[in-house]
Amino acid sequence: MFVSERWGFLVPIIGLAVLALTEAISEFIAGDDAFYQNNPWVKFIGFCVVAAILWPLGRWLNRKAPERTLVDPNTGEQVVLQIGGGNTLFFIPMQFWAPIAIVLGLIFLVSK
């Protein structure tokens, strides 16, 4: 089950797109179709680029607007309205997927 709120679905899309682009560029430059698979440091660089995109994008999308106090005209009850946030994937805010991406990159780096 894919659990995403608001723009959280962009996390895997950005991750897959950047890693695919990293593979294509590295193999084009090296002239070797197995360069990406044989060099884990290239994957680590790709995950670092993913993190560099997700952190500021998540912080920007999850920023909170100033609170507004609304008053119900019938009852006079006050309600504080907070707008912003809520861009999550698997209940994790989008910007916190950046450190997760770096940890995944380190796992790929040391597992080979």
Side-chain angles (χ1 to χ4, degrees):
M1 183 173 173
F2 190 72
V3 181
S4 169
E5 289 183 30
R6 300 181 67 191
W7 291 99
F9 69 91
L10 288 178
V11 172
I13 292 173
I14 291 170
L16 291 174
V18 168
L19 292 174
L21 193 59
T22 303
E23 179 179 10
I25 291 171
S26 66
E27 290 178 354
F28 176 76
I29 291 173
D32 179 11
D33 287 342
F35 186 79
Y36 183 79
Q37 289 76 19
N38 295 331
N39 295 287
W41 62 269
V42 180
K43 291 182 188 115
F44 177 69
I45 291 173
F47 277 107
C48 287
V49 171
V50 170
I53 293 170
L54 288 180
W55 182 260
L57 181 62
R59 299 264 305 161
W60 182 72
L61 287 174
N62 285 324
R63 71 192 184 285
K64 299 215 185 294
E67 292 180 349
R68 292 181 51 195
T69 302
L70 306 175
V71 179
D72 186 342
N74 295 332
T75 63
E77 181 181 355
Q78 293 185 354
V79 177
V80 177
L81 177 67
Q82 178 67 51
I83 299 174
N87 296 289
T88 63
L89 177 68
F90 296 113
F91 310 108
I92 300 173
M94 193 176 201
Q95 65 268 25
F96 295 126
W97 281 97
I100 294 170
I102 291 175
V103 169
L104 288 173
L106 287 171
I107 290 170
F108 276 102
L109 186 62
V110 299
S111 67
K112 185 88 177 177

